[in-house]
Amino acid sequence: MSISEQLQQINDAIAAIEIGGQEYQIGSKRLKRADLSLLYKRQKDLKAQENYENAESNTLANTFVAVFDRR
């Protein structure tokens, strides 16, 4: 399964929880959906992978620059 397909499934799961709630009941059965914080973490990881693969130059795709100004 591709990263974009996985990301779509994660987004669908997040939307289902945000719209319908974390838990629901059908008859006497109570069902709980996946943990929302874990879904958000997985979404973040997949977006990072997708950005890395789509970057023009993969060498610095996950590189950040920090400037520390001493005063």
Side-chain angles (χ1 to χ4, degrees):
M1 181 180 298
S2 73
I3 291 175
S4 60
E5 291 171 336
Q6 291 177 47
L7 190 54
Q8 183 59 47
Q9 284 187 339
I10 294 292
N11 290 336
D12 292 344
I14 290 171
I17 292 171
E18 290 176 342
I19 292 169
Q22 189 77 36
E23 294 183 34
Y24 60 99
Q25 188 169 344
I26 300 175
S28 63
K29 294 193 179 201
R30 187 171 201 83
L31 302 166
K32 183 175 181 180
R33 291 189 170 113
D35 185 21
L36 195 54
S37 62
L38 291 175
L39 290 174
Y40 282 134
K41 182 182 180 319
R42 182 67 177 145
Q43 181 187 45
K44 180 181 173 186
D45 293 343
L46 287 171
K47 282 182 179 180
Q49 285 180 344
E50 189 175 58
N51 288 340
Y52 179 77
E53 288 183 357
N54 293 336
E56 290 179 24
S57 171
N58 288 345
T59 17
L60 300 175
N62 288 329
T63 304
F64 298 92
V65 176
V67 177
F68 299 97
D69 187 19
R70 253 189 179 174
R71 293 180 185 215

